[in-house]
Amino acid sequence: MASNMGKKILVWFRNDLRLHDNEMLVEAVSKADEILPVYVFDPRHFEKTQYHTYKTGVTRTKFLIESVASLQQSLQAMGGNLLVLQGNPEEVLPALVVKYDIAEVYHHREVASEETAVSLRLEDALWKQKVNLKHFIGHTLYNKEDLPFPIKDIPDVFTQFKKKTERDAVVKPCFPTPVAINFVSLEDSGTIPEIGSLLQDSTATMLKIDTAFKGGEKEALAHLHEYLHAGEGIVLANATLKKHEIVSKLSAWLALGCLSPREVYWKMKDAEANYGVRPYFHQIVLGLLWRDYYRFMFKKYGNTFFKPQGFKKDGEPLALENTSALQHWKNGQTGQPLVDACMQELNTIGYINQVARQLVATYLVKELEVNWVLGAAYFEEQLIDYAPASNWGNWAAVAGVGNDQKLANNFDFEKLAKILDPKGVFAQVVRA
Ligand SMILES: Cc1cc2nc3c(=O)[nH]c(=O)nc-3n(C[C@H](O)[C@H](O)[C@H](O)COP(=O)(O)OP(=O)(O)OC[C@H]3O[C@@H](n4cnc5c(N)ncnc54)[C@H](O)[C@@H]3O)c2cc1C
């Protein structure tokens, strides 16, 4: 169309590292003559926090690098590329706007404060260039506008949120994966950094990397397929598997957006049509609802989830000291075998299941009486699937300072230990 002649849109990828079900990409392809896909490694994501932890540890850094590389390969297979740069996006992107004569910038909006602050600063910088920053919302199973309540009225009690959402909202179909894209031509597509150049002291921790998780959209879709189809055989053959043992392990791909929650939902529905209703299908949807819930709660309450006192009006929060008890917990050397086994697993592969997370968090907060914020910051460093709302929301709930007080009684160390390890088997395999 004449009015669109030469229109170039910069598509800024963040935690949406995929081609499937990506509204931002679909719209950019339809509205622009050429698109410029960009990923920016932001050095602030690899800095130390005020709690003596790193914002991103080595396992997630590796997973991120693989995910960006996978997206780059997919775009190269379509005849284009992903421009990969390092720096503060609010400075890097306006410079690209000038260099490539960009008409508009597209990105996905986030919910946590640091991410939204970057969006705002970028919006201001682009505004001065008379260029619009368009926001998309594509991280949740249910769209915000499809919920039966405005954000400010979303029920704080999860069970109410779940009941009303499942009753009154629908899961939208996925956006189609683009089949052809016109790309802005690039002289140089930049370089994907090495782990060592992003992390300050990666050498010691590098030795610990031992993860079966590989980042990227292709791996995510393959893992989903395997879980839904091959998983059927496994589940039927192991009728004794406990509910908490039937887990998808999709969280890392979901956190970086290598996988869309809607894709998971609709692929699960296909599998259900083949095999009939299965408890492990329901389990995934329940998980995705928890994920949505915490994201919407972050939207509703902002930074309250990051504060030691959380939603509690009374009581003094514990000190934020780096005690030896905290250090032992981090290293998996508390002397409590199950806690130690879980923490060593976390330190090695960046993943432990939901019950194990609840168990080690409960132990830190209730047995060791350490401020929960220090545990949450350590999880932020170590988890391969770290997502601000899911991590800080769940931690606040375990610590009893969340906004759904009904959850506060769910966390009893002995009960959790019995669920996780009824025969004490796991506790015996503590690594030396
Ligand atoms: C202290 C603590 C910290 C946590 N931090 C994170 C985090 O940083 N990132 C993260 O994705 N999850 C976090 N969780 C939630 C949950 O433990 C993981 O999502 C889950 O273990 C991932 O395994 P899975 O993919 O096999 O989950 P499944 O049971 O197969 O669930 C499917 C998906 O639903 C989502 N999900 C499931 N349970 C929850 C939940 N309670 N809250 C939010 N989302 C959920 C995940 O995206 C998951 O991949 C945390 C839980 C606790 C108790």
Side-chain angles (χ1 to χ4, degrees), residues 59-71:
T59 312
R60 193 163 74 257
T61 303
K62 175 176 174 281
F63 191 84
L64 170 66
I65 288 172
E66 289 165 355
S67 301
V68 173
S70 166
L71 179 67

Side-chain angles (χ1 to χ4, degrees), residues 70-85:
S70 166
L71 179 67
Q72 190 173 53
Q73 282 155 18
S74 301
L75 293 169
Q76 284 167 350
M78 299 183 85
N81 216 328
L82 176 71
L83 176 56
V84 179
L85 297 167

Side-chain angles (χ1 to χ4, degrees), residues 132-153:
N132 180 43
L133 175 67
K134 183 156 183 177
H135 305 275
F136 289 83
I137 308 164
H139 291 298
T140 43
L141 181 62
Y142 290 95
N143 282 11
K144 178 174 68 112
E145 61 276 12
D146 294 336
L147 294 179
F149 18 64
I151 292 282
K152 69 175 182 33
D153 296 332

Side-chain angles (χ1 to χ4, degrees), residues 247-290:
V247 287
S248 70
K249 296 192 178 173
L250 288 168
S251 47
W253 291 291
L254 282 161
L256 278 188
C258 301
L259 193 58
S260 119
R262 279 192 298 242
E263 178 77 10
V264 176
Y265 180 87
W266 289 114
K267 285 277 159 38
M268 184 279 289
K269 283 281 167 198
D270 289 347
E272 203 174 78
N274 272 334
Y275 306 120
V277 176
R278 292 279 182 265
Y280 69 103
F281 293 157
H282 171 74
Q283 175 95 354
I284 304 189
V285 180
L286 181 64
L288 294 177
L289 270 162
W290 272 108

Side-chain angles (χ1 to χ4, degrees), residues 325-332 334 343 360 364 375 378-379 395:
L326 172 66
Q327 211 47 54
H328 289 147
W329 177 82
K330 286 184 181 177
N331 296 340
T334 63
M343 290 306 289
V360 296
L364 183 79
Y378 187 65
F379 265 37
W395 267 97

Side-chain angles (χ1 to χ4, degrees), residues 247-251 287-288 291 351 354 357 385 387 391 394:
V247 287
S248 70
K249 296 192 178 173
L250 288 168
S251 47
L288 294 177
R291 187 174 169 274
Y351 175 91
Q354 161 91 354
R357 291 180 201 208
D385 60 19
N391 187 55
N394 272 292

